[in-house]
Amino acid sequence: MKGLLNIFPLVFFLSLFGLVGCVTTEQKAFDQNVSQEKELTTRIKIAIGLIKKGEAELALVQLQKALKIKPNAARVYEIMAVAFEQVDESREAKRHYKKMLSYGSEYTRGRANYAGFLIRQKDYKEAYKQLQKVVADIYYPSRARAFQQLGLCAKKLGKYDEIEHFYKRALKLDGNLTEILLALAEIRFENGDYAESQKYLDGYRAKVKPASAKALFLGIKLAVVFEDKGDEASYALALKNLYPRSKEYLEYIKTIKVQ
């Protein structure tokens, strides 16, 4: 399930803005008598552009100036948290996320980003708590991802009876979450529901080409269960050709192939 961790990028919300501003651009932006609201918005955009270029420290300078304009701006504290995480200041990142929530308890996107940070910090208990509040916002456009994250947290916390529920909720909201299709296929296989496992695997393979090593190995195991020598050979050949040094192929050699 490690692959699921890759769905929580550090600055996924930053794509809402293009790269903004060098020093010259900033100077031009504030030469005139702009309103405080305009200056606040511009400094936020400049900071986001700097973070995307890996210049988090310069971004923090802009954000400090933004806080002087509006000290209770939840959005500014959110971006500051991202900047601090980028420079490996996790304690400061967490402190700023908490500041964000103190000023914007209804700021769902910020809370979701905080949950992603907590997952990267392996604080699954607190992430689970925050994500429950995120999915409660039925108008939040990324609820599917939040349910997916809840499934991951449930697994890490040993809440095995909840994992499938969260994954299925995510799929209902977004049928293109292919990693969930594979995760559900594995869960159903482990529970002995091979027909349902095959259904989820087929759904995954219809959307993902080439299939991952994990998916191909599951296909081999299902083919063995259903005594389908043709499918078994096809999956095994694909696994060997595409992922000859994968742990799945090594496991296949050690177990199924030697039987």
Side-chain angles (χ1 to χ4, degrees), residues 98 100-101 108 110-112 114-116 118 124-136 146 150:
K98 288 184 174 182
M100 172 199 74
L101 291 177
T108 303
R111 190 182 294 277
Y114 179 37
L118 292 167
Y124 300 109
K125 184 177 181 180
E126 183 61 24
Y128 181 91
K129 176 182 173 182
Q130 296 299 329
L131 287 165
Q132 284 184 311
K133 295 180 180 180
V134 171
V135 298
L150 268 173

Side-chain angles (χ1 to χ4, degrees), residues 81-249:
V82 172
F84 277 120
E85 186 180 1
Q86 191 176 88
V87 295
D88 293 326
E89 293 286 352
S90 298
R91 184 176 297 179
E92 281 299 303
K94 186 172 185 177
R95 187 171 74 85
H96 281 75
Y97 271 125
K98 288 184 174 182
K99 276 273 194 178
M100 172 199 74
L101 291 177
S102 71
Y103 291 121
S105 60
E106 303 301 315
Y107 184 24
T108 303
R109 189 182 69 190
R111 190 182 294 277
N113 286 330
Y114 179 37
F117 164 79
L118 292 167
I119 289 172
R120 291 187 292 276
Q121 296 297 308
K122 303 188 187 309
D123 188 351
Y124 300 109
K125 184 177 181 180
E126 183 61 24
Y128 181 91
K129 176 182 173 182
Q130 296 299 329
L131 287 165
Q132 284 184 311
K133 295 180 180 180
V134 171
V135 298
D137 182 354
I138 62 174
Y139 299 108
Y140 178 54
S142 297
R143 284 179 83 215
R145 289 290 182 184
F147 273 117
Q148 184 176 10
Q149 290 173 310
L150 268 173
L152 172 66
C153 290
K155 180 180 181 180
K156 295 294 185 180
L157 294 171
K159 300 176 181 288
Y160 298 110
D161 56 327
E162 297 181 4
I163 301 171
E164 193 169 0
H165 167 71
F166 289 138
Y167 283 165
K168 286 182 176 179
R169 287 296 303 274
L171 268 186
K172 281 186 177 295
L173 290 166
D174 185 352
N176 292 315
L177 293 174
T178 54
E179 58 267 47
I180 290 185
L181 287 168
L182 182 55
L184 285 170
E186 292 180 312
I187 291 171
R188 288 293 87 214
F189 183 87
E190 291 167 4
N191 283 279
D193 189 351
Y194 303 121
E196 194 72 4
S197 176
Q198 186 71 62
K199 184 186 81 172
Y200 282 120
L201 180 61
D202 289 344
Y204 168 87
R205 294 204 66 206
K207 296 176 182 294
V208 179
K209 298 184 188 305
S212 67
K214 186 184 295 186
L216 292 172
F217 188 46
L218 177 58
I220 292 172
K221 292 189 285 187
L222 282 167
V224 170
V225 168
F226 289 115
E227 299 182 347
D228 189 328
K229 297 295 184 182
D231 267 7
E232 181 185 350
S234 178
Y235 279 119
L237 182 61
L239 183 61
K240 179 181 179 180
N241 289 340
L242 293 171
Y243 311 102
R245 298 184 183 277
S246 65
K247 65 178 182 180
E248 287 82 5
Y249 185 63

Side-chain angles (χ1 to χ4, degrees), residues 72-83:
N72 62 346
R75 173 69 168 149
V76 174
Y77 282 106
E78 175 194 19
I79 303 168
M80 290 183 82
V82 172

